[in-house]
Amino acid sequence: MISVIIPTKDRPGPLHRALRSLTRQRYGAFEVIVVRDGGSPVDHVVDSWTATLPITFIDQETTEGVSRARNRALDLAEGEYVAFLDDDIFLPDHLQAAADALAAGDAGAVYGQALVSPTWLEAIPRLHDHLPRKDYSFDTGFLGIANFIHTGSVVLRNPAATPVRFDEGMNHCEDWNFWLDLHRTAAYRFERLDCLTCIYHRVPRPGAVTLAYEASPTPFTAARALVYERWPVTTLLDETYREWFRSFDRRLDACIGDGLPVMPHVYEHAVRGLHPSYTAGRPPSRQLLDTLFPSGTALWTTSAGLKGGIGALA
């Protein structure tokens, strides 16, 4: 059985669509655990699906954060496998493809490819080649550099027998920290599925990610620094890439602080640009930083900022 974990807060519409996508799964051996992390009531949404889906509902009045919500669900999860579902939808083969891969091999976690959409979708549109994907092949080294795995694409062996849980002190990058903990502490092997299994919605609306990119420094800056401190790297190449992302954070924070425009989905553009060069063993591109932040701000256009070694990327 697969335990599908859904934390929710103030998003009854996406919750309704997420649950509806579960009714379309070809794989039928699953349970659903919905955790309301405070916010507006969603009883009416959950109740509308209880006759169709095996739902356990944790109705929490106070907001304690997404990590605590997922951990509460993990404590109740009875499935051999665990899947995560937030604002997304699972395509009909998502759970089946993941279960087949986990049963057939020695992977501890698998993740499907996600179609990224700026509008609400419940199926793959006929014309979708223009839409980006989160479809990165797994690389153990790059996992220590950046989070390239979409939470809603992951199905893993239930970690109940391990010490690994979501860090309840983290509300940003908590999934990335969780992957690293599973991989390095519990020796989970990750494997990417060769098929599109879910839709990741990046719909413009108030939310944790949108609000985070309105503050300078962004919460992601602090979270990335914490992850880097907690999970050290040992190679010069890895440290060079980490320094690239530190420079990325400094530039991003400077733009936000100065009220300058920031490219939409700038982090995704960074990962898309760096993943191929890292896996090929090449150093990160300084030009990519200038492409992502095309500004005349002296912070990064001085010649001193474009020369030198690892520390000269700012």
Side-chain angles (χ1 to χ4, degrees), residues 15-277:
L15 174 62
H16 181 75
R17 286 185 284 267
L19 292 171
R20 181 159 54 203
S21 77
L22 292 176
T23 68
R24 299 167 177 162
Q25 291 301 296
R26 289 201 303 117
Y27 189 88
F30 64 87
E31 65 173 351
V32 186
I33 306 174
V34 176
V35 185
R36 179 173 76 99
D37 187 33
S40 57
V42 291
D43 310 62
H44 60 295
V45 177
V46 175
D47 290 345
S48 68
W49 293 105
T50 52
T52 309
L53 296 168
I55 301 178
T56 298
F57 182 36
I58 304 175
D59 196 15
Q60 185 175 288
E61 288 292 340
T62 58
T63 299
E64 297 182 353
V66 68
S67 293
R68 173 60 177 156
R70 291 194 184 116
N71 284 343
R72 291 193 67 185
L74 283 171
D75 289 341
L76 297 179
E78 296 182 355
E80 180 181 358
Y81 306 141
V82 172
F84 300 102
L85 180 57
D86 292 343
D87 278 357
D88 310 315
I89 68 148
F90 289 165
L91 296 172
D93 288 334
H94 178 78
L95 295 181
Q96 185 71 62
D100 288 347
L102 288 166
D106 59 355
V110 298
Y111 59 98
Q113 300 178 37
L115 190 70
V116 183
S117 174
T119 59
W120 295 111
L121 297 176
E122 294 195 48
I124 300 176
R126 185 173 59 87
L127 300 176
H128 63 273
D129 290 344
H130 65 289
L131 294 175
R133 294 188 180 195
K134 291 180 72 72
D135 58 356
Y136 305 100
S137 60
F138 184 76
D139 187 280
T140 184
F142 198 69
L143 187 63
I145 307 301
N147 185 19
F148 56 91
I149 300 174
H150 172 53
T151 308
S153 68
V154 173
V155 183
L156 52 87
R157 299 187 186 278
N158 193 325
T162 79
V164 178
R165 297 295 183 272
F166 287 91
D167 183 339
E168 295 181 9
M170 298 181 71
N171 288 312
H172 297 84
C173 300
E174 76 289 334
D175 51 347
W176 180 24
N177 184 75
F178 185 67
W179 313 144
L180 282 163
D181 207 359
L182 285 172
H183 189 54
R184 296 193 184 185
T185 303
Y188 274 46
R189 189 175 71 82
F190 281 71
E191 180 180 292
R192 190 202 67 179
L193 303 176
D194 292 327
C195 54
L196 195 63
T197 69
C198 60
I199 297 178
Y200 173 33
H201 291 110
R202 292 297 300 268
V203 180
R205 63 183 180 86
V209 174
T210 303
L211 293 175
Y213 281 107
E214 293 178 356
S216 179
T218 73
F220 291 109
T221 297
R224 190 169 2 257
L226 175 62
V227 170
Y228 282 178
E229 179 181 4
R230 183 173 292 171
W231 305 105
V233 293
T234 58
T235 72
L236 179 61
L237 182 67
D238 287 357
E239 183 53 42
T240 303
Y241 272 83
R242 283 191 167 188
E243 187 58 32
W244 190 100
F245 266 107
R246 293 186 185 102
S247 298
F248 172 93
D249 285 333
R250 287 192 293 270
R251 294 187 181 202
L252 176 61
D253 292 338
C255 281
I256 295 172
D258 292 342
L260 299 174
V262 176
M263 179 187 299
H265 314 311
V266 65
Y267 173 77
E268 292 296 338
H269 286 290
V271 175
R272 181 63 64 185
L274 291 183
H275 185 272
S277 61

